[in-house]
Amino acid sequence: MRLCSRRPSRGRPSAACPCSPSSSRRTVNMHGFDAFGTLLAGAVLAGEIWSGSEGGIMKAWPWDAIAKSLSLTLEGKDMASLLVEKAYIDLRNNATVGNMCSLPAADVKHMLADHCRAKIWSITSMTFALWDARTRELLKVFGIDGQVDLARLEAPVMPEQFIEEEIKVKPTKKEKPQGSFTFFQKSRNALMGAADAVRRVATKGTFVEDNRRIEAVAQAMDGTIWSGCTNGSIIVWDGNGNKLQDIHYHSSSVQCIRTLGERVWVGYASGTIQVMDVEGNLLAGWTGHSCPVINMAIGGSYIFTLAHHGGIRGWPLTSPSPLDDILRTELANRELSYTMIENIKILVGTWNVAQEKASFESLRSWLGSALSDVGLVVVGLQEVEMGAGVLAMAAAKESVGLEGSANGQWWIDNIGKTLDEGISFHRVGSRQLAGLLIAAWARNDLKPHVGDVDAAAVPCGFGRAIGNKGGVGLRIRVYDRRICFVSNHFAAHQENVSRRNADFDHVYRTMSFNKPHGSTASATSVQLHKAASANGNQADEDIPELAEADMVVFLGDFNYRLDGITYDEARDMVSQRSFDWLRERDQLRAEMKAGNVFQGMREGPIRFPPTYKFQRNQPGLSGYDSGEKKRIPAWCDRILYRDSRPVSIAECSLDCPVVAAVTAYEACMDVTDSDHKPVRCTFSVDIARVDELVRRQEFGKIIESNDEKVCSLLRKSHIVPDTIVSTNNIILENQEDVILRISNNCETSKAAFEILCEGQSITKHDGTKSELPPRASFGFPLWLEVQPSVGLIEPGETMEVAVHHEDFFTKEKCFDGVQQNWWCEATRDMGAVLLVNVTGSASTETITHRINVRHCCPVPSATPPVTNAPSDAVSGSKNNQSNHLQRSDFANFGSSEVHDLCDVPKRNM
């Protein structure tokens, strides 16, 4: 259950307005259930509470009922609980006319209270609902694109039965066998039909818009609403739900948004942190964590980020700033002192198993004999299972987020036994797409430094939807460096060179790894800020994810053949071990030289015979295909890689963090279980990482050696703009607005302000005052409205704030969701103390101005006065003039009251 509180406002039925700028600031959890049925702990002790939960259920609890329950003694706690439970208002009923409800029946994921405009935002994965917090009226329901279209925005998830019906092939009349061509043609047609069915199901379901789900929401100090989506886009709205701009600086999913002053921080699933201004300009971006940034909080002079693996880091609110330049330069000069080089051995194996199952001896020959000193083992298989039915069902399962098969699990289990899984090695991840499979194991001593294992799959088969061809990949973080492994199966047949090139290009450009599900890595590094232009950078959505890895290994049955040679010539050259001569006719080598495929990648020297095609269970080189087709031997099964080196010769360093060398590249010619031979490659990999302890020590030395300069920069960054308020006393008698002016005297920095109520009092009939605690998040009493109560003031400008009193205001009581209201007239003098907290654009330090607001209740007259209209107008004008600002000179109040926002109630927690 998501909840937020709101404050009451002008005297209308059900009068109320929001209390907090965003769910990420003041959104709180009361005893209730979230959208997944999980009990949430916490309490809201002040203010009206709004909640949203599964199925689009919306409820509100009025403040009066909460206050009454809190006034009961400890013995009456059961009665208090029952009182609050029965006092809610069912907001969904308010939005229902007849049997039609304007609200989508989707789980409420986020709630946001717009205090400036007295509006509440309730947000599902793909829709926004905007409410008037004073009347609880549903104003608008709209989607991510800003358009009101409920039928399209909340598309239902398609049931699995529908998928099964779509892929069923209608029974046909039994015919006599018509040869292999007809069989393959029918298989192709069946697969094409299945692929088309999968696409139709995906189009009708939620899959199309799934990449733009709303993941985070916050309100900036200028009143705009910022929402972040799973595709990395950030949409900025005005207070009425109108789309202002669509920002896209990163391709990873937005996980959290935090605001302070004129800055907005965004945390991504990739671990990246970005800071922008309220206009949407990118100021800086850096890699903060090795896994998703799931939450952020502001305290002191830092913004703290929480990572998925539990790590917390603090970043200066002033970054980017001149202080960053000093630290960056000094740390770069001392890089060697905190750089450590780790060396690991990686064993990579690939095998087209032709739907067969290998013997234990074959697995031992392929992998077990090469395990000495190996820390990481990655295995890729092709043709684990084939056939039209298998491929169609695999495609359908992929469409609903399922993968894997019994055959795939058999291979994973038996390879694990070969590696002594559970004793020497630990499996860290796997992925299957139809006949393609990839899995990885880490040795136990390396396991603490391996984590964030993400998986991906790209089909290249019929219609780019079937997994008989394509690639499956794993992205693994080792010593805080990303290494990607991709197992592939490209287009077959001698003449299909261009299709094989296209398959590689499609896999490389479109492979997108899943959102990380956690990490077992304990070692992470802090990377320095990457400065960005104030005008913003282009979105990196066009940059392939594989291009961002520190090392990439492609393995599999690439199906490249030998050109310009006959079967007999190839057999002769193989028997003479003239592999260099054969390599000159290798299609893959020619295409790589021409820059058509595997650009920038390398391969170890080939000193083993071609691995395709063999007759099963026939050992030695005499096992090459001698059947009717006599396929020319070829090196179909290959392993290629690239590391961080921009050139072939480069030392391992933090700028070139991964340097790999091939120590063995061989085929297991004694294995006869398939028509392909398994291939393995062993890498010796140097990985540069940061020794965090030494780096922190060097950081401290830099601060000490630049103490005077650093302190000067920190003092400048903590300056709160000089502001003045037009009065410190306001008297309210009529219902007209009194204007409070807040002026920013600073000529260089914006000032952020927020107005809270420190307390209120009511004069009793005997003349004594009763002190009442602040109510609601910003503490405004029922009879007082302040608009706007938060905002940004430009340098040298003045903000006008309307202070309004209402003689008649609403009191209300609710029972089982039914609202009962009655009017209440102010008959006694009331007072309140307002706090105007002013902060800088990048600091939590604040200056507080105190303003006394007093409402003087007029003495009731026995006989209502009877006057003409002009006389009333003049009288009202005089009263209004006398009730406006009680002193004309501006004074700087509260300048001595400088403190940190962490020590006072604030809305950004």
Side-chain angles (χ1 to χ4, degrees):
M1 178 185 287
R2 290 287 189 182
L3 303 99
C4 68
S5 56
R6 59 175 190 158
R7 68 168 180 83
S9 184
R10 297 193 175 190
R12 302 180 185 178
S14 312
C17 68
C19 66
S20 65
S22 73
S23 60
S24 60
R25 292 175 178 172
R26 293 284 304 203
T27 297
V28 290
N29 294 324
M30 198 177 178
H31 296 295
F33 293 88
D34 68 3
F36 303 99
T38 305
L39 183 65
L40 300 178
V44 179
L45 300 180
E48 183 167 306
I49 300 171
W50 287 48
S51 71
S53 60
E54 59 186 356
I57 296 174
M58 295 281 299
K59 295 182 180 181
W61 282 265
W63 161 252
D64 293 339
I66 298 173
K68 185 175 180 180
S69 66
L70 293 175
S71 65
L72 299 178
T73 62
L74 185 62
E75 289 76 12
K77 62 181 180 179
D78 294 334
M79 180 62 68
S81 176
L82 181 61
L83 178 64
V84 173
E85 181 181 352
K86 296 291 186 179
Y88 74 88
I89 300 169
D90 190 339
L91 299 173
R92 193 172 182 84
N93 286 341
N94 292 0
T96 302
V97 179
N99 293 326
M100 298 297 294
C101 183
S102 303
L103 277 178
D107 297 347
V108 178
K109 301 293 185 181
H110 312 276
M111 293 197 68
L112 180 147
D114 183 352
H115 178 65
C116 299
R117 302 175 184 87
K119 292 178 180 177
I120 298 288
W121 295 58
S122 61
I123 303 158
T124 71
S125 294
M126 299 178 68
T127 60
F128 298 86
L130 188 58
W131 303 75
D132 187 325
R134 294 181 293 263
T135 64
R136 303 190 185 94
E137 176 188 357
L138 179 62
L139 303 176
K140 185 179 181 182
V141 178
F142 54 99
I144 295 177
D145 57 1
Q147 300 298 316
V148 179
D149 189 352
L150 294 178
R152 180 183 61 79
L153 294 174
E154 295 297 336
V157 178
M158 305 304 293
E160 294 184 11
Q161 291 84 351
F162 181 83
I163 298 175
E164 294 176 357
E165 291 175 2
E166 285 279 0
I167 65 174
K168 283 180 181 178
V169 179
K170 292 183 179 181
T172 57
K173 197 172 184 179
K174 193 171 182 180
E175 299 178 357
K176 295 180 180 180
Q178 299 181 6
S180 58
F181 174 79
T182 304
F183 170 76
F184 286 115
Q185 184 67 27
K186 288 183 177 180
S187 298
R188 180 185 183 278
N189 293 340
L191 289 174
M192 290 294 289
D196 184 61
V198 169
R199 282 194 297 270
R200 290 199 304 272
V201 173
T203 303
K204 293 178 182 179
T206 58
F207 309 106
V208 174
E209 299 189 26
D210 191 58
N211 66 335
R212 275 202 103 181
R213 296 191 315 272
I214 303 164
E215 289 291 331
V217 64
Q219 185 177 28
M221 284 296 295
D222 64 349
T224 56
I225 310 299
W226 291 55
S227 60
C229 303
T230 50
N231 69 341
S233 64
I234 300 170
I235 306 173
V236 184
W237 313 83
D238 68 9
N240 297 318
N242 300 313
K243 190 174 182 178
L244 299 179
Q245 60 177 324
D246 198 329
I247 305 169
H248 206 157
Y249 293 126
H250 196 59
S251 60
S252 183
S253 172
V254 176
Q255 297 293 287
C256 50
I257 303 175
R258 181 68 61 181
T259 66
L260 177 69
E262 61 176 326
R263 295 197 171 191
V264 179
W265 288 265
V266 182
Y268 293 92
S270 63
T272 297
I273 302 167
Q274 290 181 341
V275 57
M276 310 170 195
D277 60 22
V278 291
E279 283 79 27
N281 300 314
L282 181 63
L283 304 178
W286 63 94
T287 300
H289 297 273
S290 61
C291 62
V293 181
I294 60 175
N295 206 350
M296 294 186 286
I298 292 175
S301 299
Y302 295 89
I303 179 165
F304 295 92
T305 56
L306 172 64
H308 190 279
H309 55 46
I312 299 176
R313 285 177 173 164
W315 316 89
L317 290 172
T318 56
S319 296
S321 69
L323 179 60
D324 297 325
D325 298 331
I326 295 175
L327 299 177
R328 183 184 300 110
T329 302
E330 293 286 349
L331 282 173
N333 293 335
R334 307 181 185 209
E335 182 177 296
L336 290 178
S337 64
Y338 56 81
T339 300
M340 294 185 64
I341 306 297
E342 305 286 350
N343 180 267
I344 63 171
K345 300 292 189 300
I346 301 178
L347 174 62
V348 179
T350 179
W351 192 6
N352 184 324
V353 299
Q355 305 181 69
E356 300 291 336
K357 292 183 178 179
S359 65
F360 181 78
E361 291 75 16
S362 296
L363 293 176
R364 176 66 66 180
S365 174
W366 176 34
L367 301 172
S369 61
L371 289 178
S372 178
D373 299 327
V374 169
L376 186 66
V377 178
V378 180
V379 175
L381 303 176
Q382 303 83 45
E383 295 190 14
V384 170
E385 52 191 2
M386 298 293 286
V390 170
L391 296 177
M393 185 54 65
K397 290 168 65 177
E398 286 283 333
S399 298
V400 293
L402 302 175
E403 55 107 355
S405 69
N407 281 353
Q409 192 60 48
W410 183 93
W411 277 99
I412 291 174
D413 292 342
N414 282 272
I415 293 174
K417 292 177 182 178
T418 306
L419 303 177
D420 291 331
E421 182 177 343
I423 300 175
S424 302
F425 283 87
H426 172 79
R427 180 158 59 93
V428 296
S430 63
R431 181 67 163 95
Q432 184 176 356
L433 172 67
L436 292 165
L437 175 66
I438 189 169
W441 289 261
R443 194 177 288 275
N444 290 339
D445 58 355
L446 183 64
K447 178 185 171 184
H449 308 290
V450 174
D452 298 342
V453 181
D454 311 326
V458 178
C460 291
F462 302 131
R464 298 290 193 207
I466 303 299
N468 61 316
K469 297 294 188 290
V472 288
L474 292 176
R475 181 174 61 188
I476 306 174
R477 190 175 292 275
V478 183
Y479 286 113
D480 205 29
R481 301 300 176 186
R482 292 180 180 178
I483 303 179
C484 294
F485 302 89
V486 186
S487 175
N488 306 270
H489 195 188
F490 295 157
H493 304 303
Q494 182 88 17
E495 66 278 6
N496 287 332
V497 177
S498 60
R499 284 189 57 187
R500 287 189 274 275
N501 294 350
D503 285 347
F504 164 77
D505 187 71
H506 181 64
V507 170
Y508 187 82
R509 292 185 180 278
T510 63
M511 180 161 282
S512 179
F513 292 91
N514 295 337
K515 181 178 175 180
H517 298 289
S519 172
T520 58
S522 59
T524 58
S525 68
V526 178
Q527 299 182 11
L528 292 173
H529 298 96
K530 299 177 181 177
S533 169
N535 295 326
N537 288 350
Q538 294 293 326
D540 55 1
E541 58 183 339
D542 294 331
I543 300 177
E545 291 189 22
L546 289 173
E548 298 179 334
D550 296 295
M551 180 177 177
V552 177
V553 180
F554 265 74
L555 56 142
D557 180 4
F558 300 154
N559 258 324
Y560 287 92
R561 312 300 174 89
L562 299 181
D563 277 335
I565 189 173
T566 66
Y567 173 81
D568 292 331
E569 289 174 335
R571 289 290 302 269
D572 290 341
M573 290 300 170
V574 169
S575 62
Q576 298 174 29
R577 302 190 68 82
S578 299
F579 301 142
D580 291 339
W581 188 87
L582 288 174
R583 280 275 285 150
E584 294 296 327
R585 286 147 182 80
D586 178 31
Q587 290 178 346
L588 178 55
R589 181 176 181 177
E591 293 300 307
M592 290 179 67
K593 279 187 176 181
N596 296 329
V597 71
F598 291 106
Q599 295 85 350
M601 303 192 78
R602 307 179 181 94
E603 183 179 20
I606 295 180
R607 297 190 178 92
F608 53 86
T611 57
Y612 176 82
K613 176 181 184 181
F614 288 86
Q615 299 178 52
R616 292 184 180 90
N617 302 318
Q618 187 169 336
L621 298 180
S622 61
Y624 280 111
D625 182 21
S626 59
E628 181 181 350
K629 294 184 178 180
K630 285 190 176 182
R631 291 182 177 86
I632 300 172
W635 285 291
C636 292
D637 309 283
R638 313 284 275 271
I639 299 174
L640 284 75
Y641 75 100
R642 73 148 180 84
D643 51 18
S644 303
R645 290 177 291 179
V647 294
S648 58
I649 301 176
E651 293 185 357
C652 185
S653 64
L654 295 181
D655 292 327
C656 181
V658 178
V659 175
V662 175
T663 58
Y665 189 27
E666 51 200 351
C668 300
M669 304 304 292
D670 59 327
V671 176
T672 61
D673 302 89
S674 170
D675 56 357
H676 290 252
K677 299 297 183 182
V679 175
R680 66 187 178 214
C681 184
T682 305
F683 296 93
S684 176
V685 183
D686 288 333
I687 300 177
R689 69 180 184 93
V690 172
D691 187 322
E692 293 291 349
L693 177 60
V694 176
R695 188 177 185 273
R696 284 193 291 268
Q697 292 172 348
E698 295 297 327
F699 186 88
K701 294 176 182 178
I702 294 172
I703 296 296
E704 291 177 0
S705 62
N706 296 273
D707 183 62
E708 184 175 345
K709 186 183 296 185
V710 169
C711 289
S712 175
L713 291 173
L714 288 175
R715 281 194 297 269
K716 290 181 180 179
S717 66
H718 291 170
I719 290 177
V720 180
D722 179 30
T723 56
I724 58 175
V725 294
S726 54
T727 183
N728 63 344
N729 288 286
I730 296 177
I731 298 177
L732 301 172
E733 289 184 358
N734 299 321
Q735 297 184 25
E736 298 181 8
D737 291 345
V738 174
I739 303 301
L740 170 68
R741 295 178 176 87
I742 307 173
S743 299
N744 180 10
N745 287 348
C746 181
E747 298 297 329
T748 58
S749 301
K750 295 180 182 179
F753 76 92
E754 62 178 3
I755 304 177
L756 299 87
C757 182
E758 186 179 42
Q760 58 174 305
S761 63
I762 297 178
T763 303
K764 298 181 180 179
H765 293 295
D766 58 3
T768 61
K769 288 185 177 181
S770 61
E771 299 293 333
L772 301 178
R775 65 179 305 264
S777 173
F778 277 23
F780 296 115
L782 284 166
W783 52 269
L784 182 64
E785 182 186 68
V786 178
Q787 294 289 345
S789 56
V790 293
L792 289 172
I793 309 176
E794 296 290 333
E797 298 294 329
T798 298
M799 176 68 71
E800 292 189 348
V801 178
V803 182
H804 180 87
H805 165 261
E806 190 67 63
D807 283 332
F808 293 88
F809 52 90
T810 304
K811 284 193 174 182
E812 54 193 18
K813 182 178 291 184
C814 302
F815 189 82
D816 283 344
V818 180
Q819 179 179 336
Q820 301 173 0
N821 305 319
W822 65 89
W823 294 96
C824 178
E825 181 179 1
T827 58
R828 289 177 287 178
D829 292 352
M830 292 172 286
V833 178
L834 300 184
L835 302 180
V836 181
N837 291 328
V838 180
T839 65
S841 59
S843 172
T844 58
E845 292 187 359
T846 181
I847 291 179
T848 298
H849 307 275
R850 275 185 171 78
I851 300 174
N852 295 310
V853 179
R854 187 162 58 94
H855 166 248
C856 297
C857 184
V859 178
S861 176
T863 303
V866 179
T867 57
N868 56 29
S871 174
D872 280 339
V874 172
S875 176
S877 174
K878 290 181 179 180
N879 281 337
N880 185 49
Q881 183 177 5
S882 65
N883 289 337
H884 272 70
L885 309 181
Q886 297 301 302
R887 57 190 185 90
S888 57
D889 54 320
F890 282 18
N892 190 353
F893 294 101
S895 59
S896 61
E897 297 184 41
V898 181
H899 47 82
D900 195 280
L901 282 178
C902 297
D903 301 323
V904 298
K906 56 184 184 297
R907 58 185 194 82
N908 208 25
M909 290 297 291

